[in-house]
């Protein structure tokens, strides 16, 4: 505010762009790179924006919708040194890494891996997804993560199903407050929820809880064999929940992952085109899925082939270009890839608005 008059929005925009220039630069580079790949080279294999590294298949919980507990494709974990070597290969093509699993905090070296990613390999964004049960034993994570994603499906304790998230809730809520006290800002903590028919009411409560705590709220619905549960669309309580999430995001009432359009497409199972190589999935031994994890095809290993580019090129030879799937896999990353590649400026506008 200069001499009491609000700053012109254009100036505010330029200040914002300058403040976040590494992020802005990265996105402009990706935008033009993907344009060239699609328009000139005629491929839907887009550049990796952030890599998703499964550091273990092991988990101490047993969630109903989990696709990782009995993976069709299984791979052994590498030791600490080789996993850091793998991270080095990944860092050559993207500056963003998401550690996941199974439950990544089950790895005794997870603090060393995230420390190396942030401070030795200089990843600009180091994220980790966890069920939150072991965070009190892995507190050095808070010194190296840019953001932590803790998954919650309910705020009501239910110990009838051992190894379910509701059965360990009190412990997770304690660790959530620990994370809140250790991460620089409440918005460095994201609560990730998966909507099923049984927990619509619980997700409503988690949305409010995130608003009160200042956490980022993120959600998607559970898939079965890549298929969303279409019955949810007929459920008035689900429709009301989707409406509330979109409205709060649109009115910026609380931090919510995604843009209003993206959230609607994802939760109302709208049409989108998937570009899975934007968020390539890497298994603990360095194997990379191509075209994607749900299609269960591995097209190479980063430690053997040496880059995503070579692995994707090999995948294209073996399995063809990215398939044009319809009405499946309504997950955040897939729908995000569609908006990012096909409606970049719309997404950018919605993101800063
Ligand atoms: S929609 Fe699903 S199956 Fe199709 S490319 Fe994307 S992730 Fe793979």
């Amino acid at each position: 505010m200069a001499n009491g008059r609000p700053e012109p929005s254009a100036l505010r925009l330029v200040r914002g762009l300058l403040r976040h220039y590494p992020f802005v630069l990265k996105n402009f580079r990706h935008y033009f790179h993907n344009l060239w790949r699609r328009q000139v080279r005629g491929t839907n294999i887009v550049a990796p924006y952030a890599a998703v590294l499964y550091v273990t298949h092991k988990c101490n919980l047993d969630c109903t919708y989990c696709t990782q507990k009995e993976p069709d494709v299984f791979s052994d974990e590498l030791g600490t040194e080789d996993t850091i070597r793998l991270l080095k290969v990944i860092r050559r093509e993207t500056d963003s890494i998401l550690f996941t699993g199974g439950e990544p905090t089950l790895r005794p070296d997870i603090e060393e891996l995230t420390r190396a990613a942030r401070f030795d390999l200089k990843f600009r964004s180091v994220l980790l997804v966890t069920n939150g049960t072991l965070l009190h034993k892995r507190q050095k994570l808070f010194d190296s993560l840019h953001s932590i994603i803790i998954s919650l499906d309910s705020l009501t304790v239910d110990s009838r199903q051992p190894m379910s998230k509701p059965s360990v809730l009190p412990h997770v809520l304690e660790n959530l407050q620990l994370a809140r006290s250790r991460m620089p800002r409440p918005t460095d903590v994201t609560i990730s929820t998966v909507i099923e028919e049984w927990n619509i009411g619980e997700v409503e409560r988690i949305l409010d809880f995130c608003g009160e705590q200042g956490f980022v709220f993120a959600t998607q619905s559970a898939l079965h064999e890549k298929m969303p549960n279409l019955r949810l669309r007929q459920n008035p309580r689900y429709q009301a929940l989707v409406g509330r999430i979109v409205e709060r995001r649109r009115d910026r009432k609380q931090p919510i992952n995604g843009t209003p359009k993206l959230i609607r497409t994802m939760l109302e199972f709208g049409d989108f085109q998937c570009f899975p190589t934007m968020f390539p999935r890497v298994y603990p031994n360095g194997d990379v899925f191509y075209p994607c994890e749900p299609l269960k095809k591995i097209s190479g290993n980063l430690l053997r082939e040496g880059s995503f580019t070579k692995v994707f090129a090999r995948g294209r030879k073996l399995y063809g270009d990215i398939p044009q799937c319809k009405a499946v896999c309504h997950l955040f990353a897939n729908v995000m890839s569609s908006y990012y590649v096909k409606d970049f400026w719309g997404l950018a506008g919605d993101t800063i608005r």
Side-chain angles (χ1 to χ4, degrees):
M1 294 276 274
N3 53 32
R5 277 201 301 283
E7 196 173 54
S9 60
L11 195 56
R12 240 190 2 257
L13 176 65
V14 171
R15 274 192 204 287
L17 292 176
L18 289 173
R19 203 167 40 245
H20 302 291
Y21 88 88
F23 175 74
V24 174
L25 220 54
K26 172 181 180 175
N27 284 285
F28 278 133
R29 208 179 42 243
H30 270 262
Y31 171 69
F32 291 109
H33 197 163
N34 291 339
L35 209 59
W36 176 70
R37 283 176 177 228
R38 299 189 65 229
Q39 308 299 338
V40 181
R41 300 212 20 226
T43 174
N44 284 327
I45 297 176
V46 298
Y49 186 92
V52 179
L53 177 60
Y54 298 75
V55 285
T56 181
H57 293 299
K58 298 191 196 85
C59 188
N60 55 348
L61 293 184
D62 181 14
C63 305
T64 49
Y65 51 78
C66 179
T67 57
Q68 284 306 310
K69 56 185 175 202
E70 281 139 22
D72 301 276
V73 180
F74 197 88
S75 80
D76 296 328
E77 287 167 33
L78 298 170
T80 310
E81 225 176 283
D82 284 336
T83 305
I84 292 174
R85 210 159 50 85
L86 177 59
L87 286 166
K88 209 169 180 176
V89 175
I90 293 171
R91 182 63 187 88
R92 288 192 211 125
E93 288 172 285
T94 178
D95 62 3
S96 299
I97 185 92
L98 173 68
F99 289 89
T100 187
E103 174 48 44
T105 58
L106 279 172
R107 276 193 68 146
D109 61 351
I110 191 66
E111 293 158 303
E112 173 51 19
L113 296 178
T114 54
R115 190 207 60 72
R118 174 141 182 198
F119 299 109
D120 301 345
L121 301 173
K122 308 283 182 238
F123 277 89
R124 199 183 53 77
S125 168
V126 181
L127 281 65
L128 178 135
V129 185
T130 172
N131 60 30
T133 51
L134 299 171
L135 281 177
H136 59 296
K137 292 187 177 167
R138 304 276 185 255
Q139 297 197 32
K140 290 197 195 109
L141 284 173
F142 302 127
D143 306 327
S144 49
L145 294 176
H146 290 95
S147 178
I148 188 164
I149 302 154
I150 299 174
S151 51
L152 267 186
D153 294 339
S154 168
L155 284 177
T156 307
V157 181
D158 181 351
S159 36
R160 284 171 300 168
Q161 289 169 332
M163 294 184 75
S164 70
K165 285 191 181 130
S167 70
V168 291
L169 185 63
H171 195 38
V172 173
L173 289 178
E174 253 173 56
N175 280 342
L176 194 46
Q177 291 312 321
L178 173 66
R180 191 172 193 281
S181 69
R182 291 290 308 277
M183 294 299 282
R185 294 162 302 202
T187 47
D188 297 329
V189 177
T190 294
I191 303 297
S192 160
T193 64
V194 174
I195 309 174
E196 295 181 281
E197 287 178 279
W198 72 270
N199 73 340
I200 296 171
E202 292 297 330
V203 176
E204 289 165 359
R205 293 180 62 202
I206 294 171
L207 178 65
D208 294 341
F209 173 73
C210 288
E212 290 146 20
Q213 299 284 324
F215 299 143
V216 177
F217 174 84
T219 193
Q220 51 199 1
S221 76
L223 300 181
H224 187 65
E225 303 289 337
K226 306 203 297 277
M227 289 302 296
N229 174 357
L230 298 177
R231 274 203 310 276
L232 285 170
R233 267 199 306 221
Q234 270 65 38
N235 183 322
R237 195 156 185 196
Y238 178 80
Q239 291 163 353
L241 173 61
V242 174
R244 195 173 309 146
I245 296 169
V246 170
E247 184 206 312
R248 291 191 189 178
R249 169 60 186 81
R250 192 193 51 234
D251 305 343
R252 288 195 172 277
K253 286 202 181 118
Q254 62 182 100
I256 294 176
N257 219 15
T259 63
K261 265 196 261 172
L262 191 160
I263 295 168
R264 266 207 193 285
T265 303
M266 177 179 63
L267 295 181
E268 292 177 351
F269 317 128
D271 278 346
F272 72 97
Q273 182 178 354
C274 185
F275 299 90
T277 58
M278 185 174 170
F279 302 105
R281 313 280 163 146
V282 186
Y283 259 18
N285 69 345
D287 281 350
V288 179
F289 284 89
Y290 176 90
C292 59
E293 193 271 331
L295 294 178
K296 315 266 175 253
K297 293 200 172 66
I298 298 278
S299 70
N301 183 287
L302 281 175
L303 293 176
R304 193 180 56 235
E305 269 67 56
S307 70
F308 283 117
T309 307
K310 288 190 183 135
V311 168
F312 295 156
R314 195 165 175 276
R316 193 173 185 213
K317 265 205 208 104
L318 290 168
Y319 308 119
D321 208 284
I322 305 291
Q324 302 259 358
C325 304
K326 283 271 171 251
V328 291
C329 299
H330 287 82
L331 296 177
F332 185 86
N334 300 332
V335 179
M336 168 73 159
S337 73
S338 184
Y339 278 97
Y340 191 88
V341 174
K342 299 184 73 175
D343 181 19
F344 181 85
W345 300 110
L347 181 71
D350 281 351
T351 304
I352 52 179
R353 237 193 306 282

